Amino acid sequence: MKVILLLAGIFMSVIAHSQHRVYGKVFDSGGRALAGANVIINDSYLGAVSNVSGDFVFNKVPAGNFLFTVSYIGYEKEEKRISLPSDTGLNFYLKRSPIMGQEAVVTSARAGSKDPVAVTQISSEELRRQNMAQDIPWLLSLTPSMVVSSDAGAGVGYTGFRIRGADANRINITVNGIPLNDAESHSVFFVNMPDFAASTENIQVQRGVGTSQNGAAAFGASVNIQTLALNRESYSEISSSYGSFNTYKNSVSLGTGLLNNHFTLDVRLSGIHSDGYIDRAFSDLSSYFVSAGWHSSKSVVKLNVFSGKEKTYQAWDGVPGYLLQENRTYNGLGFYTDENGVDRYYDNQTDNYQQDHYQLHVSREISPYIYLNASLHLTHGEGYYEEYKEDEELASYRIPEIILDTVIVSTSDLIRQKWLDNNFYGAVFSATYKKNNTDATLGGGWNRYEGEHFGKVIWSRFAGASEVNHRWYSSFSDKKDFNVFAKMNYSLTQSLNLYGDLQFRGISYLIDGEDDDHRDISQNHDFLFFNPKAGLNYADNQGNRLYFSFSVANREPNRGNFVDADSTQPAPTFETLYDYELGYHYSGSRFQAGANLYFMDYTNQLVLTGEINDVGAAVMNNIKDSYRAGVEFTAGLRQKEVFSWDFSLALSSNKIRNSESFVDNWSYWDDPDTQPEQFVFYKERSDIAFSPEIVASSRFRYFLAKGLSVDVVSKYVGSQFTDNTSSSNRKLNPWFVNDLRFEYLLKPRLLKELSVNLCIANIFDYQYSSNAWVYRYFEGGVEGLYDGFYPQAGINFMAGVRARF
């Protein structure tokens, strides 16, 4: 109660200052009014967009000295520092830019200030403050409704995240408008893009279906990453960090600035290593980023080339539940017994992958109202994971039995690799028209994925007649994906906007060949989706914003859904989501708060039910009726150069109506004539797995002295079930974790900037697991299970220094 009263007192003291009205117009240098210009008051939550007449207004600005920033596509940004002793009128005259800026590059997948979408944007400044070695999901952990997890337990290596309970498999992720989700698995593996945050200008997270995107459907959220914007001044930067678990990162980057008023070049090289919190869960990661640009007054041509290479020791299986109390860092992968009966761990039980990205962006201003953008892209990925396997059936690898001294040898220890070699390429485009009351975009894309899956035996104790790098299975995939969309935001009045968005998406997917168990998995699937969206957005000059939207999204099954499906049953079908979003947000000079209500109604959602296919492997089934409903609260409080506080709270209910769960009966194999292969359990309503009802985050930043600040970062995640049965025996306990982050920012004479950072994570050494899996069975009428939990590190630290020249 004392804390609540203290915060209330701070809040009242902040808003009690005298408030003034600031109004004005935005013109070009010729005196023509600019509609749609962004007017921002720095160090506050206030922002406005000029109307058709170029007018803007802020009604509640406290007395003080403020920096105003005004920007408009195709014009030089203007900044003015204004003292506000009373009501003030301001006029801004923007000059045409001699070169086209980064804002003209493909941004059609992004939500604008008038779009009826729940949005969070993370700036490059905030990313740099946190970026010491961890992957991008770790840096986004304070986003509303987000839960992150790390296989190695410390945020380096394989990391994942969920938003509103949906994992990356159901979240649309793009880089500069280019799809990043793997075309087959729909997933994104940020381990293949180490230190990519260092080359990122900002990240926008749209919760729900959001606006039209290229690539995979947004069934929980979309994440849009924008790489480095135009930097007119030359720079160089060195960044190093070190911390627990022998984790370290070294990075160097440089930029030429604008050469000859046309050319730019930005380069980054990074290396990251971590031994991991989990036993042997090391990561060796390297990456580079190169961006070359040519700018004129009405055109931009930009080539981005970036690559990541990873080698990680596998930690995919987790820790068995019965070991959690005695050995939280246990990793059983790679275990084997050698010929002398000695227990060992195979030292190359690793995942190895390299992913190379090539993006060519072209932007052109046709007129002050029309912009065209087009991008070509190619992503090449190649790699494998390697495993030591004991007593494998040689026939399973198409290796003939061996006769040694009249003894038939049919099993052998061996080392195998499972490979993926793929190319993903295509083009995306958009044309934007922005004039007076209308902001419209026509866009789309065509993409193709070609991938080969195959397995090799690189060593076998009894190899027989097999060749070196003996290949035992192979399949080929060819997936074509196109979409076209038209969206428009029309101003009905000065405050009320109507939003519409229509997207058609077509998919042709071919799989040819066999899986690792020699099943023929050849198949072909075609889909054509219509995804409409509509909404209203009301924003007045008092800082109030109210919006409502209705959106439809359709999602095709991924490769695993098709390949693992029971060949004796109909193939899995597509899923449909009807998303309703209602939000309100208030922005004041020192205080902002909002609430977003959502109802996400699914038809034919694919979930694990425990059912198995004709060869005993688990499959995902379409369930007829399920939903996610909730409310997301956000709030922020800011006192310039004193403190800031940002808070989010998400409350949700995530249910399956009339669910079925299937449990294997191991006794079936003893008596197939009288025993069922699986038991079936019915429930009228059950919880969707990995969907906590409460997710909350807080970051309190206090400025101790000039350039010196401390952040108290807190994250609470409620309990969540590990399967879809709502059983209290199969759930993750809630966790509440707190971090301390210190930053000392200097500007010494010989440097542009020097930053020293220290993060002490999980300061109370709280023991928790952020993810898990479970397998149930019955034997002799008694229920048993196998499971695996993913414990996260206790108290740990990272320290870093960044120097910019």
Side-chain angles (χ1 to χ4, degrees):
M1 179 60 70
K2 291 182 179 179
V3 174
I4 295 174
L5 291 174
L6 176 61
L7 291 175
I10 294 173
F11 170 67
M12 294 304 295
S13 66
V14 168
I15 65 174
H17 288 88
S18 59
Q19 307 285 304
H20 301 301
R21 186 171 183 265
V22 179
Y23 55 92
K25 287 178 175 290
V26 182
F27 302 97
D28 65 12
S29 56
R32 181 177 64 91
L34 294 179
N38 292 301
V39 184
I40 304 297
I41 303 179
N42 293 19
D43 295 318
S44 81
Y45 297 106
L46 294 175
V49 178
S50 61
N51 64 14
V52 176
S53 302
D55 295 308
F56 68 89
V57 63
F58 299 99
N59 280 312
K60 296 180 180 179
V61 183
N65 193 288
F66 291 93
L67 180 66
F68 285 72
T69 301
V70 183
S71 61
Y72 190 80
I73 293 178
Y75 289 78
E76 295 278 2
K77 180 172 63 176
E78 183 175 351
E79 294 183 340
K80 280 185 182 180
R81 185 164 292 279
I82 306 294
S83 179
L84 301 176
S86 60
D87 291 357
T88 304
L90 300 171
N91 288 333
F92 292 91
Y93 293 86
L94 304 186
K95 298 178 182 179
R96 289 288 300 183
S97 175
I99 61 170
M100 182 183 270
Q102 177 76 10
E103 65 270 16
V105 176
V106 179
T107 56
S108 57
R110 294 210 150 197
S113 60
K114 296 182 180 180
D115 292 344
V117 178
V119 174
T120 300
Q121 187 146 311
I122 299 93
S123 67
S124 57
E125 178 186 0
E126 191 57 43
L127 290 170
R128 281 195 299 269
R129 289 176 63 92
Q130 302 180 60
N131 181 26
M132 287 191 278
Q134 290 87 353
D135 292 338
I136 282 181
W138 224 250
L139 308 183
L140 303 180
S141 62
L142 298 185
T143 302
S145 294
M146 177 175 280
V147 178
V148 300
S149 182
S150 168
D151 285 7
V156 180
Y158 272 89
T159 59
F161 67 101
R162 293 185 174 90
I163 300 176
R164 293 185 179 176
D167 62 16
N169 183 279
R170 295 168 177 270
I171 295 173
N172 175 275
I173 304 177
T174 57
V175 175
N176 301 323
I178 304 299
L180 191 59
N181 299 74
D182 179 78
E184 287 201 285
S185 71
H186 299 182
S187 292
V188 171
F189 303 101
F190 284 103
V191 68
N192 300 327
M193 303 168 64
D195 201 29
F196 195 69
S199 300
T200 296
E201 185 68 22
N202 57 64
I203 300 176
Q204 185 185 84
V205 179
Q206 302 176 30
R207 299 185 297 282
V209 171
T211 58
S212 280
Q213 320 86 5
N214 298 299
F219 255 52
S222 58
V223 177
N224 312 123
I225 303 172
Q226 180 183 330
T227 55
L228 292 176
L230 169 66
N231 197 322
R232 295 172 183 262
E233 302 295 328
S234 63
Y235 68 91
S236 59
E237 183 174 292
I238 299 174
S239 174
S240 293
S241 56
Y242 182 80
S244 301
F245 321 117
N246 194 31
T247 301
Y248 55 84
K249 184 194 83 166
N250 294 301
S251 176
V252 59
S253 52
L254 59 88
T256 62
L258 194 60
L259 298 176
N260 197 27
N261 211 33
H262 286 295
F263 299 96
T264 61
L265 178 66
D266 296 275
V267 179
R268 174 185 56 81
L269 297 171
S270 300
I272 298 174
H273 172 86
S274 177
D275 290 344
Y277 169 68
I278 300 299
D279 294 343
R280 299 179 308 286
F282 70 80
S283 298
D284 282 317
L285 316 174
S286 60
S287 67
Y288 69 82
F289 176 89
V290 179
S291 180
W294 180 85
H295 302 257
S296 72
S297 61
K298 294 188 176 182
S299 299
V300 174
V301 179
K302 198 160 194 177
L303 175 65
N304 293 334
V305 180
F306 52 96
S307 176
K309 185 176 183 180
E310 61 92 4
K311 182 173 185 176
T312 58
Y313 194 96
Q314 297 164 23
W316 304 333
D317 277 5
V319 180
Y322 68 86
L323 279 179
L324 272 178
Q325 297 302 317
E326 58 184 270
N327 187 359
R328 292 178 52 80
T329 64
Y330 172 81
N331 183 7
L333 286 171
F335 175 83
Y336 72 99
T337 304
D338 67 16
E339 65 273 18
N340 298 316
V342 178
D343 292 344
R344 297 185 181 277
Y345 287 94
Y346 181 52
D347 60 5
N348 202 39
Q349 188 88 1
T350 58
D351 182 71
N352 305 263
Y353 199 77
Q354 180 167 335
Q355 194 172 72
D356 306 316
H357 299 256
Y358 307 88
Q359 298 181 353
L360 177 63
H361 303 283
V362 180
S363 300
R364 175 71 179 174
E365 178 188 332
I366 304 302
S367 76
Y369 315 112
I370 301 175
Y371 287 83
L372 298 180
N373 297 284
S375 300
L376 298 174
H377 68 90
L378 166 66
T379 302
H380 174 70
E382 185 174 359
Y384 63 92
Y385 67 88
E386 186 168 307
E387 300 175 293
Y388 190 102
K389 306 292 286 186
E390 290 188 285
D391 296 323
E392 293 287 284
E393 294 285 342
L394 291 175
S396 298
Y397 295 86
R398 289 201 167 103
I399 299 176
E401 293 179 336
I402 302 164
I403 299 177
L404 295 177
D405 297 329
T406 71
V407 177
I408 298 176
V409 178
S410 60
T411 65
S412 176
D413 299 341
L414 53 84
I415 300 172
R416 71 183 191 184
Q417 295 176 346
K418 288 190 172 183
W419 278 80
L420 173 61
D421 186 351
N422 61 90
N423 289 297
F424 177 64
Y425 56 90
V428 300
F429 74 94
S430 67
T432 301
Y433 173 83
K434 189 173 184 180
K435 185 178 181 182
N436 297 332
N437 296 332
T438 303
D439 186 348
T441 300
L442 175 68
W446 180 91
N447 304 296
R448 185 175 186 177
Y449 172 93
E450 296 173 315
E452 185 179 11
H453 302 254
F454 59 93
K456 297 193 299 186
V457 177
I458 64 171
W459 172 85
S460 178
R461 191 175 302 279
F462 302 106
S466 64
E467 299 293 332
V468 176
N469 291 326
H470 168 74
R471 186 176 294 200
W472 89 89
Y473 76 93
S474 179
S475 69
F476 176 77
S477 299
D478 186 349
K479 185 175 183 179
K480 303 180 185 71
D481 183 335
F482 80 90
N483 81 93
V484 61
F485 65 86
K487 60 182 179 180
M488 183 174 70
N489 205 318
Y490 182 78
S491 298
L492 298 171
T493 69
Q494 184 171 335
S495 301
L496 184 62
N497 293 273
L498 174 66
Y499 174 83
D501 185 339
L502 304 177
Q503 183 198 52
F504 288 91
R505 180 172 178 239
I507 298 158
S508 177
Y509 186 23
L510 168 70
I511 302 175
D512 184 32
E514 62 179 16
D515 205 13
D516 60 355
D517 57 3
H518 308 310
R519 287 181 299 123
D520 182 4
I521 56 174
S522 301
Q523 51 194 288
N524 193 9
H525 304 277
D526 296 298
F527 301 93
L528 182 61
F529 299 137
F530 174 52
N531 301 315
K533 310 169 186 70
L536 289 169
N537 185 85
Y538 173 85
D540 62 20
N541 54 22
Q542 306 293 322
N544 300 293
R545 179 181 176 231
L546 179 67
Y547 62 85
F548 170 77
S549 67
F550 169 72
S551 307
V552 179
N554 291 280
R555 174 182 180 271
E556 78 279 13
N558 63 26
R559 174 188 171 89
N561 301 148
F562 285 130
V563 169
D564 295 334
D566 191 336
S567 61
T568 65
Q569 301 293 325
T573 189
F574 64 92
E575 308 166 80
T576 301
L577 167 61
Y578 303 96
D579 182 24
Y580 305 82
E581 306 272 340
L582 174 63
Y584 169 78
H585 191 269
Y586 170 78
S587 295
S589 59
R590 301 302 185 200
F591 174 73
Q592 64 89 15
N596 185 78
L597 291 165
Y598 66 88
F599 182 71
M600 302 170 68
D601 190 14
Y602 297 90
T603 299
N604 291 327
Q605 185 177 187
L606 282 161
V607 302
L608 285 169
T609 63
E611 195 167 1
I612 58 176
N613 61 17
D614 50 336
V615 295
V619 299
M620 295 187 78
N621 287 331
N622 294 106
I623 56 172
K624 183 178 180 181
D625 194 1
S626 57
Y627 68 86
R628 300 183 186 275
V631 57
E632 296 159 330
F633 298 99
T634 59
L637 192 60
R638 179 179 296 174
Q639 182 65 40
K640 185 179 179 181
E641 297 180 350
V642 179
F643 75 90
S644 66
W645 178 55
D646 295 290
F647 172 80
S648 74
L649 171 65
L651 307 174
S652 66
S653 176
N654 311 275
K655 302 292 184 181
I656 299 172
R657 297 187 179 100
N658 301 314
S659 68
E660 294 180 327
S661 59
F662 298 79
V663 183
D664 288 352
N665 177 23
W666 286 9
S667 298
Y668 166 80
W669 305 107
D670 299 328
D671 190 2
D673 294 329
T674 62
Q675 291 282 346
E677 188 172 5
Q678 288 192 306
F679 295 111
V680 185
F681 299 89
Y682 300 92
K683 196 160 188 170
E684 184 176 343
R685 184 167 301 197
S686 64
D687 293 88
I688 303 176
F690 303 109
S691 301
E693 294 183 347
I694 304 175
V695 178
S697 65
S698 170
R699 183 191 63 200
F700 184 85
R701 177 173 297 162
Y702 185 74
F703 296 92
L704 300 168
K706 184 178 181 180
L708 179 60
S709 63
V710 58
D711 290 4
V712 180
V713 180
S714 303
K715 184 79 174 186
Y716 177 84
V717 177
S719 61
Q720 49 190 307
F721 297 99
T722 57
D723 65 11
N724 296 304
T725 63
S726 299
S727 172
S728 59
N729 296 323
R730 293 180 293 278
K731 66 189 301 186
L732 292 171
N733 293 325
W735 70 84
F736 181 50
V737 176
N738 297 269
D739 303 340
L740 281 179
R741 300 174 185 170
F742 297 88
E743 181 182 45
Y744 191 24
L745 188 62
L746 300 167
K747 293 189 177 181
R749 182 175 302 176
L750 299 179
L751 299 176
K752 292 181 180 178
E753 183 178 282
L754 178 65
S755 174
V756 180
N757 298 79
L758 172 65
C759 176
I760 307 173
N762 197 356
I763 58 175
F764 298 117
D765 200 28
Y766 191 82
Q767 295 191 348
Y768 70 103
S769 297
S770 58
N771 202 2
W773 60 267
V774 63
Y775 165 75
R776 300 166 63 200
Y777 65 91
F778 279 94
E779 185 174 24
V782 178
E783 183 176 5
L785 62 80
Y786 291 104
D787 57 17
F789 291 81
Y790 298 87
Q792 304 300 286
I795 185 169
N796 63 96
F797 80 94
M798 285 292 297
V801 60
R802 185 180 73 251
R804 192 174 183 91
F805 302 87

